[in-house]
């Protein structure tokens, strides 16, 4: 692939330079590191896609639950986990009229990427017609990490390049890889093809720890993430991030206000995330629909160098799913509910959310201990 040196950095020296510096503190000098970014013929497209997804007042609809997890969602409303039922629900989501006004990208599971709606239109085409960029979940899920304290690692590197090339041909333009960090159990140190990568090391809510402990772990995790992104010559202008917000553990006696969550989270971003990254698309991580919106709104009460937005799954879909209940006559009401949540988060991205007229259902917490999907 073509190679172009487009990023020069002094904030990420090689580890060998760190070691050398520690051996000779008296002669410590800043080291300039030249990073060669190889994005080939896709470089311009990657930057354009990332900017489109990170456009004002819009965010990501995460609808990439595996078939097994989608089955759990369907079971909660009394439906069997069949392809037809999954297709019906996904059709409801992608075809909600006017969704593209608030949603810039949709992360899909592999089945959905190749699936058609119940009236025979390709899911991908329906999204594109709404000015929504189709994306794809490319990891193959979590498995236990041998020799660790019940931590997990993520499968899917084998065959990744060929799968990504096929996903691009099918219409996907960004990809998400998710792994998780457990604060009570860790963290442990073990552990392109034209698609904009969404980097998602999720720090789980599980635990009784304080917000300060979450912040401490997040600092460590994101330092590692960006060290290795730089080591692998990643084009920062052509990626998106999907981090957890900095909150206390879900079982902590401490409760944080939206302003506290915003303060801690933005402090983390300013210490770890280069301003070249166009978009920070937060996951909700089991917060209630309203909490996720309030916290996002608080972060956008100030000026940030990045597009600070959302990539929510349950925090967009929970009330929608329950409103639908698997009944065709409820599709419009469910879509209206989805649009209400999408609009609320659009306003939060602009720092204009007021929290008026929220339903009781939208205020219910959605934390699930040891959650996986």
């Amino acid at each position: 692939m073509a190679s172009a040196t487009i990023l020069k950095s002094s904030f990420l020296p090689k580890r060998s330079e760190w070691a050398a510096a520690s051996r000779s503190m008296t002669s410590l000098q800043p080291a300039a590191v030249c990073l060669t970014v190889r994005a080939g013929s896709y470089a311009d497209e990657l930057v354009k896609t990332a900017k489109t997804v990170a456009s004002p007042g819009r965010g990501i609809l995460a609808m990439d639950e595996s078939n097994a997890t989608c089955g759990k969602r369907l079971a909660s409303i009394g439906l069997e986990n069949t392809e037809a039922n999954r297709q019906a629900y996904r059709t409801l989501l992608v075809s909600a009229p006017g969704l593209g006004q608030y949603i810039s990208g949709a992360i899909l599971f592999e089945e959905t990427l190749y699936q058609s709606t119940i009236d025979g239109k390709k899911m991908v085409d329906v999204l594109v017609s709404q000015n929504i960029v189709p994306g794809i979940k490319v990891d193959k899920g979590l498995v236990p990490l041998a020799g660790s304290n019940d931590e997990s690692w993520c499968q899917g590197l084998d065959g990744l390049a060929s799968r990504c090339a096929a996903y691009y041909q099918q219409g996907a333009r960004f990809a998400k890889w998710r792994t998780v960090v457990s604060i009570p159990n860790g963290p442990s140190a073990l552990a392109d093809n034209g698609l904009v990568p969404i980097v998602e090391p999720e720090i789980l809510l599980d635990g009784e720890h304080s917000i300060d402990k979450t912040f401490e772990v997040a600092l460590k995790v994101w330092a590692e993430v960006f060290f290795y992104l730089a080591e692998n010559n990643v084009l920062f202008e052509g990626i998106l991030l999907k981090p957890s917000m900095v909150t206390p553990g879900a079982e902590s006696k401490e409760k944080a206000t939206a302003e506290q969550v915003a303060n801690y989270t933005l402090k983390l971003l300013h210490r770890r995330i280069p301003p070249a990254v166009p978009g920070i698309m937060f996951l909700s991580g089991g917060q209630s629909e309203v909490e996720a919106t309030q916290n996002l709104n608080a972060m956008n009460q100030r000026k940030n160098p990045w597009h600070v937005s959302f990539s929510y799954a349950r925090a967009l879909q929970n009330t929608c799913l329950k409103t639908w209940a698997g009944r065709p006559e409820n599709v419009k009401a469910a879509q209206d509910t989805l649009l209400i949540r999408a609009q609320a988060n659009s306003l939060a991205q602009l720092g204009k959310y007021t929290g008026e007229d929220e339903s009781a259902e939208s205020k219910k917490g959605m934390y699930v201990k040891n959650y996986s999907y």
Side-chain angles (χ1 to χ4, degrees), residues 91-140:
T91 296
L92 180 159
L93 295 175
V94 303
S95 61
L99 186 63
Q101 183 177 349
Y102 314 116
I103 300 297
S104 55
I107 312 173
L108 309 178
F109 187 62
E110 188 174 71
E111 179 182 74
T112 316
L113 182 68
Y114 291 96
Q115 204 169 38
S116 295
T117 62
I118 56 176
D119 52 355
K121 299 176 183 176
K122 292 181 179 179
M123 296 272 188
V124 169
D125 291 345
V126 175
L127 290 169
V128 171
S129 72
Q130 296 231 55
N131 195 29
I132 297 172
V133 182
I136 179 70
K137 166 184 160 73
V138 296
D139 68 78
K140 291 293 185 178

Side-chain angles (χ1 to χ4, degrees), residues 96-341:
L99 186 63
Q101 183 177 349
Y102 314 116
I103 300 297
S104 55
I107 312 173
L108 309 178
F109 187 62
E110 188 174 71
E111 179 182 74
T112 316
L113 182 68
Y114 291 96
Q115 204 169 38
S116 295
T117 62
I118 56 176
D119 52 355
K121 299 176 183 176
K122 292 181 179 179
M123 296 272 188
V124 169
D125 291 345
V126 175
L127 290 169
V128 171
S129 72
Q130 296 231 55
N131 195 29
I132 297 172
V133 182
I136 179 70
K137 166 184 160 73
V138 296
D139 68 78
K140 291 293 185 178
L142 299 167
V143 294
L145 177 62
S148 74
N149 181 26
D150 295 325
E151 290 188 84
S152 299
W153 68 280
C154 206
Q155 303 176 103
L157 288 176
D158 53 311
L160 181 61
S162 59
R163 285 191 288 118
C164 285
Y167 296 152
Y168 183 92
Q169 290 299 316
Q170 185 62 16
R173 289 298 178 269
F174 67 93
K176 188 199 82 171
W177 180 285
R178 172 187 182 258
T179 191
V180 300
V181 172
S182 169
I183 291 180
N185 296 341
S188 168
L190 298 175
D192 68 351
N193 284 294
L195 301 179
V196 167
I198 290 186
V199 182
E200 183 189 0
E202 178 181 354
I203 298 173
L204 298 175
L205 281 177
D206 300 62
E208 302 175 358
H209 50 275
S210 68
I211 193 170
D212 290 288
K213 181 63 175 179
T214 305
F215 180 75
E216 175 189 334
V217 171
L219 281 174
K220 179 178 180 180
V221 169
W222 283 100
E224 289 285 306
V225 167
F226 273 91
F227 175 83
Y228 285 107
L229 288 176
E231 282 285 282
N232 286 277
N233 300 325
V234 170
L235 175 64
F236 288 164
E237 291 87 344
I239 70 171
L240 297 167
L241 301 180
K242 186 173 176 175
S244 314
M245 297 179 190
V246 180
T247 66
E251 297 159 299
S252 173
K253 294 179 181 178
E254 297 180 11
K255 300 300 175 187
T257 66
E259 289 70 27
Q260 287 174 318
V261 171
N263 288 337
Y264 274 89
T265 304
L266 290 175
K267 182 164 65 171
L268 166 68
L269 296 185
H270 280 285
R271 290 191 184 181
R272 290 293 181 260
I273 313 302
V277 175
I280 316 294
M281 322 300 287
F282 282 100
L283 57 90
S284 57
Q287 301 174 66
S288 74
E289 291 174 326
V290 169
E291 281 177 332
T293 307
Q294 288 174 331
N295 291 339
L296 178 65
N297 187 71
M299 281 186 267
N300 282 298
Q301 294 298 302
R302 63 203 79 183
K303 192 172 182 180
N304 298 305
W306 322 271
H307 174 80
V308 176
S309 192
F310 60 94
S311 178
Y312 294 163
R314 288 174 290 167
L316 280 171
Q317 298 179 44
N318 186 57
T319 304
C320 169
L321 178 67
K322 293 183 177 180
T323 301
W324 175 51
R327 299 174 183 172
E329 64 269 25
N330 292 343
V331 166
K332 184 182 184 305
Q335 289 179 328
D336 289 344
T337 301
L338 174 64
L339 292 172
I340 287 171
R341 286 259 51 87

